[in-house]
Amino acid sequence: TTTTTTTNNNNSFFSRWIASSRSSQRARSFQTYAYVGTDSSLIYRFALGPLASFLVRFCIPRWVAPNCITLIGLVIGLSSQIAILFTTCGNLSAVASEVAARDPSCAPPPFLFAYDAVALLAYQTLDNMDGKQARRTKTSSPLGLLLDHGCDALHASLGAIAASLVFQCTPWGMFAKFGATVLPFYMCTWEERHTGSFTLPIINGPTEGLIVLASLKALTAFVGPTWWTQPEPWLNNHEPRNVLVAISITSATITAI
């Protein structure tokens, strides 16, 4: 009898909670949700955006869920990043070239840098496609937005660490590059929380930033990762890795402001 009474009370509680939720303003906004976002990038407007629209229209069936596209992009993006982390033998506290010098088996093969560049562009394309598929099938939802932003946050965080290893950053450089990657993303989502719109400036990380990053990773596949540690006369004898970190910090600060 006690068990039956407890079960009935629990059912009554959840029934009242569901009923109150359905009548709340938040529940109504859930049903009328529509994503509002703007990418002011010219590259997105005239190249990446039309490319994503073309792929969604002619390559993706209507029955494919937008969240499925998001997750496929995440898997592709993380695959190269995790491979790079594993090939450095998990030693993130030292410069990757120094680890490789002590143990050659910890040196990432050159083709991995090229694959990382391709995977990054594939992730960018699929990230542009999922929202278009959601609007095409009229399945936009707060859950889709949460999943999309959550995947972006995971990819950006792990990607900053993997990129620091590709570019042979020092420990302080890795920390600085991590901050330069996640700070603009945090500021954009914080702004969206208060304005209701996810707005990207004319030059931004998800568009120009990823293209530049993929290009530098492709360059690393040809010149080798040790190039980033060698002083260059055309950089006033500074190491390219330190110059890259300085540029990353500067661009992140400007974007965040």
Side-chain angles (χ1 to χ4, degrees):
T1 305
T2 303
T3 304
T4 303
T5 304
T6 303
T7 302
N8 290 336
N9 289 338
N10 288 338
N11 290 338
S12 178
F13 169 77
F14 284 114
S15 297
R16 292 195 303 269
W17 182 80
I18 292 174
S20 62
S21 297
R22 287 176 177 173
S23 61
S24 66
Q25 180 62 34
R26 181 168 296 181
R28 288 194 295 271
S29 65
F30 236 68
Q31 298 172 357
T32 59
Y33 169 80
Y35 173 74
V36 179
T38 303
D39 190 339
S40 303
S41 168
L42 297 180
I43 294 179
Y44 176 83
R45 183 180 304 177
F46 296 108
L48 299 185
L51 172 62
S53 298
F54 175 84
L55 293 175
V56 166
R57 181 178 180 182
F58 295 103
C59 301
I60 306 296
R62 285 184 175 272
W63 52 264
V64 175
N67 291 345
C68 181
I69 299 176
T70 303
L71 292 175
I72 292 175
L74 178 65
V75 170
I76 294 175
L78 293 184
S79 64
S80 62
Q81 297 173 357
I82 294 175
I84 288 175
L85 294 178
F86 271 102
T87 53
T88 57
C89 300
N91 194 333
L92 304 181
S93 61
V95 179
S97 58
E98 297 173 358
V99 177
R102 295 194 297 268
D103 185 358
S105 64
C106 291
F111 76 85
L112 186 55
F113 301 128
Y115 171 69
D116 193 21
V118 173
L120 187 62
L121 295 178
Y123 173 83
Q124 180 190 52
T125 302
L126 290 168
D127 189 42
N128 291 333
M129 291 170 57
D130 56 6
K132 295 183 182 298
Q133 176 72 350
R135 288 185 287 274
R136 176 195 185 197
T137 58
K138 299 181 180 179
T139 54
S140 298
S141 69
L143 176 60
L145 176 64
L146 177 63
L147 179 65
D148 183 80
H149 282 359
C151 290
D152 288 341
L154 177 60
H155 183 269
S157 301
L158 190 60
I161 299 174
S164 298
L165 296 175
V166 172
F167 304 136
Q168 308 292 288
C169 294
T170 59
W172 76 265
M174 178 181 292
F175 177 80
K177 196 167 191 332
F178 181 85
T181 300
V182 301
L183 178 62
F185 180 76
Y186 174 83
M187 295 300 293
C188 283
T189 52
W190 178 77
E191 180 184 42
E192 180 186 22
R193 171 66 178 82
H194 294 279
T195 63
S197 175
F198 191 79
T199 304
L200 295 174
I202 191 170
I203 298 178
N204 58 75
T207 302
E208 287 80 7
L210 291 185
I211 293 176
V212 171
L213 185 59
S215 301
L216 293 177
K217 290 181 177 182
L219 173 65
T220 305
F222 288 99
V223 301
T226 56
W227 176 79
W228 293 97
T229 65
Q230 301 171 359
E232 291 290 335
W234 61 280
L235 292 176
N236 197 24
N237 288 324
H238 290 292
E239 297 177 359
R241 60 181 177 180
N242 294 333
V243 175
L244 178 62
V245 170
I247 294 175
S248 299
I249 295 175
T250 301
S251 59
T253 302
I254 294 174
T255 302
I257 294 177

